[in-house]
Amino acid sequence: MSPLLKNRSALAGLGILAVFAVLALLGPWIVGDPLAFVARPHEPPSTEHWLGTTGQGQDVLAQLVVGTRITLAVAFVTGVLVTMFGALIGTAAAYFGGRIENALSLLTNVFLIMPGLPLAVVIAVYMPAGPVTITIVLVITGWAWNARLLRAQALSLRERDFVMAAIVGGESHLRVIVCEILPNMTSLLVSCFISATIYALGAQVGLEFLGLGDISMVTWGTMLYWASNDAALLTGSWWMFVPTGLCVALVGFALVLINFAVDELSNPRLRAERAWRGRLRREGVRVTASTPVLRKR
Amino acid sequence: MSYVLRRLGFYVVAAWVAVTMNFLLPRMMPGDPATAMMARFEGQVSPEALEALRETFALTDDPLWIQYIQYVRNTFAGDLGISVAFFPAPVTDVIGTGLMWTCVLAGSALVISFTLGTILGVISAWRRDSPWWGRMLPPALALLGAFPYFWLAMLALWLFGFTLGWFPLRHAYGDAYDPGWNLPFLVSATKHAILPAATIVLATLGNWLLRMRNNMISVLGEDYIALARAKGLADHRILIHYAARNAVLPSVTGFGMALGFVVSGSLLTEIIFAYPGQGYLLIQAVRTQDFALMQGLFLAITFAVLAANWIVDVLYMWLDPRTRSSRS
């Protein structure tokens, strides 16, 4: 964690996330009732309502703040579940090999290739609308990518001596996978979790925008749904959708920044190159295609 | 050729899974699916809709396997049932009207974004020390990629459509034109496609750039690049023939997989622009709870993505000589 805090992009990402986390936790106490009728519909931003009002005369800022909680909760819970599910299938495929691997890989590839949104719609429409349904649907449509990535990593770990030793030592399959293989790919798991959360955030907002969420709840997705339903574009009420999208993008961007940093820290090639370039810059040497020789001071 | 045939076999399996899921999903509801749906929508589904649904999905009292055979037979005969939203048109006809528009829009946006992103990725990896190419461009595009596609579309439509009036607001071509191979129609169709296509390109560009950039950086560290340099080859030759050609391979594999994702995003973009493709049909289906149309769309889009993937495989074989020799 401490090298992560020294990295500038990681620090920026964590900072943005912290702000939104505070909003998610304390939001409902900071602002008023997001569904209350407070002013005339489609009011532009003013000193009284900083982000204007919706087509139903509700305060946009209040909705944005209150909506943070469910939106982020669904994104992070989905991220965790997708990573867990992907890790389990991926490592199981790599660990057992043979027919089990073939079957699991086939399943993974089939789910990878199927277009997510139409599949999500077909599943979601048969279930009661709400955040739980959205989470389940996103896990079903999103696990395969991680399973594939983690399988490749687990395949190489599978042949290591310490895994062999654990198997020979008579450890159970589950214990070898959970206690020997998974802890050795922590950095990959972290980066998978971050990508899965980014995916979950975007896909969740997309599904809710389509009207597949619980439209009586306040989330960023349903806000966009109502913005489009209340003709935000036709009336030129940009304040109904611009801040919401910016928040989605900010959270996504913060996660991307952290992912960059994790990538850099866990990829020895990038890390070595960064160190080398830093050294060259300190010595005042211009970086070119040829390798300069430096005298040790 | 065996590589392409093996991939074809995989797509057949994937198509079968899609068809089977389509069959099983309505049946996984507790109790009788039709009644359950009736209960869920509290009578909002009309009797015709229920009847159409039962007929399409072979929801009869026969044993499950007979229903399944009946269903698969219907599907392959092109009978996906009657659409409720566009009653009484068959689902196949409804989907047929929109398929071309989606293929053109998503296809051209995808090709432009992939090509542009890959080229920018090569440049950004090659000049990764320059402040603009190396340090500004990748995070800037990553930020753009973090916006939901459809939100970018809303913004673009509001800014360039409503406020500035540069582009038409909705639909795929002007009402005054006859669809066909005539110049005025094509011009009108292009004008309508620019804004939606541009938002898709903008949203996906960063992904291709970063992928290519990472591949390039790792390929540029390989020994054979050092050897090529030592031989004194020109920079552009190393860049294109030695580095880029090898670095593009994982991107091409990723292309097939990203296809489903991009198509999903472009469906939402279509909805914003009221572009008469599959996305527009999808939202009609969701709004009117047209299950038959939804399931038909899922099948049609999946099949289109599978076909596109197969084309990518053939391309890949051409790019990577190793796949051409049949491996054991």
Side-chain angles (χ1 to χ4, degrees), chain B residues 65-212:
Chain B
W65 65 273
I66 294 184
Q67 292 180 27
Y68 182 62
I69 291 173
Q70 184 62 39
Y71 171 75
V72 173
R73 195 180 293 156
N74 280 350
T75 304
F76 277 94
D79 177 13
L80 297 172
I82 304 289
S83 161
V84 181
F86 300 88
F87 195 78
V91 167
T92 333
D93 290 1
V94 175
I95 292 174
T97 58
L99 200 55
M100 202 267 289
W101 290 113
T102 296
C103 286
V104 171
L105 180 67
S108 51
L110 200 61
V111 170
I112 294 172
S113 160
F114 178 79
T115 319
L116 204 62
T118 304
I119 294 173
L120 288 177
V122 170
I123 301 174
S124 134
W126 187 251
R127 314 196 45 186
R128 68 201 118 131
D129 286 306
S130 82
W132 159 244
W133 285 106
R135 277 193 283 277
M136 294 292 294
L137 193 64
L141 283 175
L143 176 64
L144 264 182
F147 288 101
Y149 288 21
F150 68 91
W151 183 80
L152 278 182
M154 279 172 120
L155 195 68
L157 184 61
W158 172 67
L159 209 64
F160 299 109
F162 280 99
T163 312
L164 296 171
W166 290 353
F167 293 98
L169 301 180
R170 49 194 295 115
H171 213 64
Y173 54 90
D175 296 331
Y177 305 102
D178 270 338
W181 288 108
N182 54 69
L183 195 64
F185 167 73
L186 289 178
V187 169
S188 167
T190 312
K191 242 188 221 162
H192 281 76
I194 288 176
L195 215 45
T199 56
I200 302 173
V201 169
L202 216 55
T204 50
L205 198 60
N207 181 24
W208 298 121
L209 180 141
L210 288 176
R211 199 188 280 250
M212 190 61 185

Side-chain angles (χ1 to χ4, degrees), chain B residues 14 20 26 28 72 87 89 97 143 151-152 204 216 220 226 234 258 264 266 275 318:
Chain B
T20 307
M28 268 155 52
V72 173
F87 195 78
T97 58
L143 176 64
W151 183 80
L152 278 182
T204 50
M216 276 297 281
L220 284 173
S264 299
S266 77
Y275 204 80
W318 171 71

Side-chain angles (χ1 to χ4, degrees), chain A residues 139-209:
Chain A
V139 172
I140 295 176
T141 51
W143 62 274
W145 181 253
N146 282 349
R148 189 183 161 107
L149 268 177
L150 294 167
R151 175 181 150 260
Q153 179 82 357
L155 268 179
S156 74
L157 285 174
R158 172 79 172 82
E159 301 305 318
R160 299 283 184 80
D161 289 343
F162 66 91
V163 175
M164 294 294 188
I167 296 170
V168 174
E171 301 283 11
S172 71
H173 295 317
L174 192 69
R175 200 187 145 77
V176 175
I177 290 179
V178 174
C179 298
E180 303 288 343
I181 297 182
L182 285 180
N184 278 293
M185 21 194 231
T186 314
S187 75
L188 189 62
L189 282 173
V190 169
S191 118
C192 277
F193 163 70
I194 295 174
S195 320
T197 309
I198 298 172
Y199 147 80
L201 184 67
Q204 169 202 7
V205 173
L207 283 181
E208 287 179 341
F209 169 72

